[in-house]
Amino acid sequence: MNLALFGPPGSGKGTQAKFLVQHFGIPQVSTGDLFRAEIEAGTDLGRKAQTFMDRGDLVPDDITLEIVRRRLSAPDTTGGVLFDGFPRTVPQAVELDRMLQGMGRRMDRVIFIQVPTEVLVDRLAGRLTCPKCGRTYHPKLAPPRIDSLCDEDGTELIMREDDRPETARKRISVYLEQTLPVLAHYRQQHVVSDIDGTGSIDEVRNRILRAVGPASGEPAAGIRVAADQREEAPPQGRLGGR
Ligand code: AP5
Ligand code: MG
């Protein structure tokens, strides 16, 4: 099963991914995490990506597609993948369709997590990230069990450079301009599930599980798909599709 978590910065893609990969037994492919690992390793690709990430801009499509292509050639991805933060432009989505088709696969479901802008800014301003495993925390909203240490591996948590308020705001506007149009691409394929991303982490997780259904790739009975979704206006005040 191939799934994608889609939504603005701070909507909870990484948070939900950590649970979904265990539930569905597929690996998370977060382009943001892949770039941060390249930066940490001091590679050429990492250096190129960093200049864009530091500004809150998207990394160019050719670099992003190269890293995804490389990741999808690893054997652990043959049973499916949970994409997190990819695809983020229409050309990336078109190329991903082509790559999946070449492997006899397709995008089964795109989970669109909608959250009001003011909530996003609050979440990003306080976010703590584990540099080792990528898990995210928040002192008020999702605190670690032991102050400033990752629950999973005990690594000291850090604040991401691009979570500084001015860069976070830039990332949100880049999302609105360059990434939201990707949704129309997947609505045409009738694979988008609109999820209310407000409320507790558990509540959002349960909404996602209801929408995605059993781990078979088939949508759960009764969820809204196809034509009615395309016509549905997003809830007021949320970052929604146009
Ligand atoms: P990336 O790392 O993908 O960042 P992002 O998309 O901006 O998303 P975030 O990781 O900021 O947010 P999230 O939705 O994962 O939220 P989280 O779960 O952490 O990309 C970084 C950069 O890399 C980009 O700017 C770009 O430069 C580059 N890049 C990456 N992919 C690219 C691509 N495909 N093409 C081009 N460039 C690319 O949650 C946020 C906070 O909220 C946490 O503190 C969490 O604890 C808290 N929280 C989560 N859910 C809840 C809840 N329900 N209630 C309360 N708190 C919650
Ligand atoms: Mg993330």
Side-chain angles (χ1 to χ4, degrees):
M1 165 143 70
N2 297 291
L3 304 173
L5 288 164
F6 187 96
S11 54
K13 301 182 296 293
T15 301
Q16 298 298 333
K18 297 301 175 201
F19 166 77
L20 295 172
V21 292
Q22 281 175 9
H23 184 83
F24 290 107
I26 52 177
Q28 174 189 8
V29 173
S30 156
T31 37
D33 287 351
L34 291 173
F35 287 136
R36 282 183 286 276
E38 295 281 335
I39 292 169
E40 183 68 25
T43 65
D44 273 357
L45 193 150
R47 268 190 292 278
K48 279 187 215 156
Q50 187 166 21
T51 55
F52 298 95
M53 292 171 78
D54 284 350
R55 294 199 300 256
D57 281 326
L58 292 184
V59 177
D61 288 341
D62 56 340
I63 301 178
T64 306
L65 288 165
E66 181 187 333
I67 208 167
V68 170
R69 210 171 280 119
R70 211 192 290 165
R71 182 65 186 88
L72 290 185
S73 68
D76 66 327
T77 64
T78 51
V81 159
L82 175 68
F83 293 101
D84 162 6
F86 177 86
R88 249 167 149 109
T89 64
V90 173
Q92 288 180 18
V94 169
E95 184 56 22
L96 178 61
D97 283 352
R98 215 188 53 79
M99 280 190 243
L100 289 175
Q101 210 174 11
M103 294 183 264
R105 290 155 51 181
R106 65 185 166 95
M107 181 61 77
D108 294 297
R109 193 133 293 270
V110 173
I111 300 156
F112 174 30
I113 309 179
Q114 302 178 53
V115 175
T117 308
E118 61 276 13
V119 177
L120 297 175
V121 174
D122 275 358
R123 285 187 188 177
L124 292 173
R127 172 165 65 177
L128 295 167
T129 302
C130 174
K132 189 169 174 202
C133 72
R135 268 187 174 65
T136 55
Y137 301 87
H138 191 286
K140 278 186 279 177
L141 304 170
R145 280 197 295 270
I146 301 170
D147 212 19
S148 76
L149 297 183
C150 178
D151 290 354
E152 193 63 20
D153 50 41
T155 306
E156 182 94 31
L157 301 173
I158 56 162
M159 293 195 74
R160 255 170 60 177
E161 266 298 303
D162 61 351
D163 280 347
R164 281 180 294 130
E166 63 279 15
T167 318
R169 273 194 293 274
K170 169 83 182 291
R171 283 161 53 213
I172 293 171
S173 73
V174 165
Y175 164 82
L176 290 170
E177 283 164 24
Q178 297 179 47
T179 301
L180 253 188
V182 174
L183 212 51
H185 175 88
Y186 286 117
R187 287 209 193 276
Q188 280 171 0
Q189 298 181 12
H190 310 311
V191 292
V192 179
S193 292
D194 295 283
I195 301 292
D196 176 359
T198 61
S200 72
I201 291 170
D202 285 355
E203 283 167 341
V204 177
R205 169 194 304 168
N206 289 334
R207 286 179 203 133
I208 293 174
L209 285 181
R210 276 199 298 275
V212 177
S216 63
E218 291 303 316
I223 67 163
R224 295 164 302 135
V225 288
D228 62 320
Q229 270 196 8
R230 278 177 291 153
E231 283 148 27
E232 189 187 352
Q236 281 266 307
R238 299 228 168 101
L239 290 172
R242 285 183 262 248

